[in-house]
Amino acid sequence: MTIFNTPERQKIYRDIIKKLRLIDDAFFNSCFDGDIACMELLLQIIFGNPQLRVKEVLTQRSVPNLFGRGVRFDAIATDGERIFDVEVQRDDEGADPRRARYNSCMMDARELDKGKDFRELPETYVIFITEHDVWKGNRPLYHVQKSFAETGVAFDDGAHIIYVNAAYQDDTPLGRLMHDFFCEDPDDMHYSVLANRARFFKENERGASTMCKLIEDLVKSDLEHILKAKVAEAEVRGEARGEARGEARGEARGKAHGEESAFLSSIRNLMKNAG
């Protein structure tokens, strides 16, 4: 569609990029994709282990399900033995316990090949970084651990769930990390590893162009859901005006108006989702 290939559209995208933060999943995915240093810092702080080393990071990886709903992970990382699924959630409903359960199950399905013994399943961690204190306990971290109800002894199946309360921003390594997740300006960040990565996508021409393309794809995807109805509605109005005024250009104007209206609606949706 030609409506995207204009300087005005690029300016809109650049303005959106300036407002994006790591708590916004599109920006988080871009900054952490393949970046071992960023993920290593994040996991070292969450686990309180400066020796933790990450070997691989992948973002937006999908796992299909022949019998039901698939899943797309924000970021998958491994230290060679354990698998970490890191999800950023601005919507409290997105951090539902059953979603964590489903992600955990799909991680297992992703890791265990046919014929392998169940004991070969790796230790897994589903980590939700939530914008708000979902569990209302005023804690920076919430660890979910299965146990036997009768004895309280841990049921060690190797699956773990951790909620990180991003609203808890005290003067600790984790609190400073969560502060950085809400910074629009990289200069306001505590951790240079994150600041440099954010600066690349906000200020570097190559990085900003990558983000512009991502935003354009997001807008186009959203646009397809509303464009046909908007264009059809505008074409009808345009044809009516054209007939009333005797203008042959009524239909074309109506279509152009519909595209413009749909584009603006899509931008509003994107900006709402990005805060």
Side-chain angles (χ1 to χ4, degrees), residues 85-121:
D85 165 33
V86 182
E87 305 283 330
V88 290
Q89 282 295 328
R90 297 190 57 208
D91 184 354
D92 291 355
E93 293 182 4
D96 186 271
R98 282 174 172 76
R99 179 174 182 184
R101 166 186 163 187
Y102 196 70
N103 275 30
S104 183
C105 291
M106 294 300 283
M107 287 173 74
D108 288 343
R110 176 181 182 269
E111 294 302 322
L112 194 65
D113 294 331
K114 181 182 281 190
K116 276 192 173 183
D117 191 283
F118 290 112
R119 286 171 294 186
E120 295 182 62
L121 277 171

Side-chain angles (χ1 to χ4, degrees), residues 139-172:
R139 301 292 182 90
L141 292 171
Y142 298 93
H143 292 82
V144 182
Q145 189 68 49
K146 297 176 186 175
S147 64
F148 291 97
E150 292 77 11
T151 64
V153 175
F155 179 73
D156 186 13
D157 62 355
H160 311 274
I161 298 169
I162 299 174
Y163 287 87
V164 183
N165 174 16
Y168 200 101
Q169 300 178 20
D170 60 357
D171 191 25
T172 63

Side-chain angles (χ1 to χ4, degrees), residues 109-139:
R110 176 181 182 269
E111 294 302 322
L112 194 65
D113 294 331
K114 181 182 281 190
K116 276 192 173 183
D117 191 283
F118 290 112
R119 286 171 294 186
E120 295 182 62
L121 277 171
E123 200 96 353
T124 62
Y125 290 83
V126 177
I127 302 170
F128 280 107
I129 300 175
T130 62
E131 181 171 10
H132 308 113
D133 186 2
V134 174
W135 302 112
K136 312 299 182 186
N138 195 32
R139 301 292 182 90

Side-chain angles (χ1 to χ4, degrees), residues 46-268:
I46 290 175
F47 286 91
N49 179 11
Q51 306 306 317
L52 191 153
R53 294 291 177 262
V54 171
K55 291 190 173 182
E56 186 180 25
V57 183
L58 302 170
T59 64
Q60 290 293 288
R61 288 305 186 268
S62 299
V63 177
N65 181 358
L66 282 175
F67 305 103
R69 179 173 177 170
V71 66
R72 174 172 289 184
F73 300 110
D74 277 357
I76 290 285
T78 180
D79 62 358
E81 296 179 357
R82 298 172 293 180
I83 310 294
F84 308 94
D85 165 33
V86 182
E87 305 283 330
V88 290
Q89 282 295 328
R90 297 190 57 208
D91 184 354
D92 291 355
E93 293 182 4
D96 186 271
R98 282 174 172 76
R99 179 174 182 184
R101 166 186 163 187
Y102 196 70
N103 275 30
S104 183
C105 291
M106 294 300 283
M107 287 173 74
D108 288 343
R110 176 181 182 269
E111 294 302 322
L112 194 65
D113 294 331
K114 181 182 281 190
K116 276 192 173 183
D117 191 283
F118 290 112
R119 286 171 294 186
E120 295 182 62
L121 277 171
E123 200 96 353
T124 62
Y125 290 83
V126 177
I127 302 170
F128 280 107
I129 300 175
T130 62
E131 181 171 10
H132 308 113
D133 186 2
V134 174
W135 302 112
K136 312 299 182 186
N138 195 32
R139 301 292 182 90
L141 292 171
Y142 298 93
H143 292 82
V144 182
Q145 189 68 49
K146 297 176 186 175
S147 64
F148 291 97
E150 292 77 11
T151 64
V153 175
F155 179 73
D156 186 13
D157 62 355
H160 311 274
I161 298 169
I162 299 174
Y163 287 87
V164 183
N165 174 16
Y168 200 101
Q169 300 178 20
D170 60 357
D171 191 25
T172 63
L174 182 61
R176 292 192 290 271
L177 177 70
M178 291 302 100
H179 164 272
D180 288 0
F181 264 65
F182 285 83
C183 290
E184 296 175 6
D185 187 347
D187 291 340
D188 295 333
M189 291 183 171
H190 293 292
Y191 292 101
S192 60
V193 170
L194 297 180
N196 291 336
R197 189 65 171 160
R199 195 173 286 113
F200 172 75
F201 286 105
K202 287 175 176 281
E203 300 174 7
N204 180 279
E205 185 58 36
R206 185 161 62 90
S209 295
T210 300
M211 282 303 303
C212 283
K213 179 63 168 63
L214 173 62
I215 291 175
E216 181 173 311
D217 290 343
L218 290 171
V219 171
K220 284 182 177 178
S221 176
D222 184 55
L223 199 56
E224 288 183 5
H225 296 292
I226 57 178
L227 181 58
K228 288 184 179 179
K230 290 277 188 182
V231 170
E233 177 187 345
E235 282 179 345
V236 170
R237 291 201 304 269
E239 287 173 351
R241 291 194 190 104
E243 290 175 4
R245 299 176 184 175
E247 296 179 2
R249 294 171 295 177
E251 181 177 350
R253 287 178 177 174
K255 183 174 182 179
H257 176 75
E259 289 183 348
E260 180 74 10
S261 178
F263 178 83
L264 292 174
S265 295
S266 183
I267 286 291
R268 290 188 192 100

Side-chain angles (χ1 to χ4, degrees), residues 16-21 24 27 183-184 202 211 274:
I16 292 174
I17 292 169
K18 290 178 183 178
K19 304 293 287 183
L20 290 177
R21 308 155 303 165
D24 301 309
F27 195 60
C183 290
E184 296 175 6
K202 287 175 176 281
M211 282 303 303

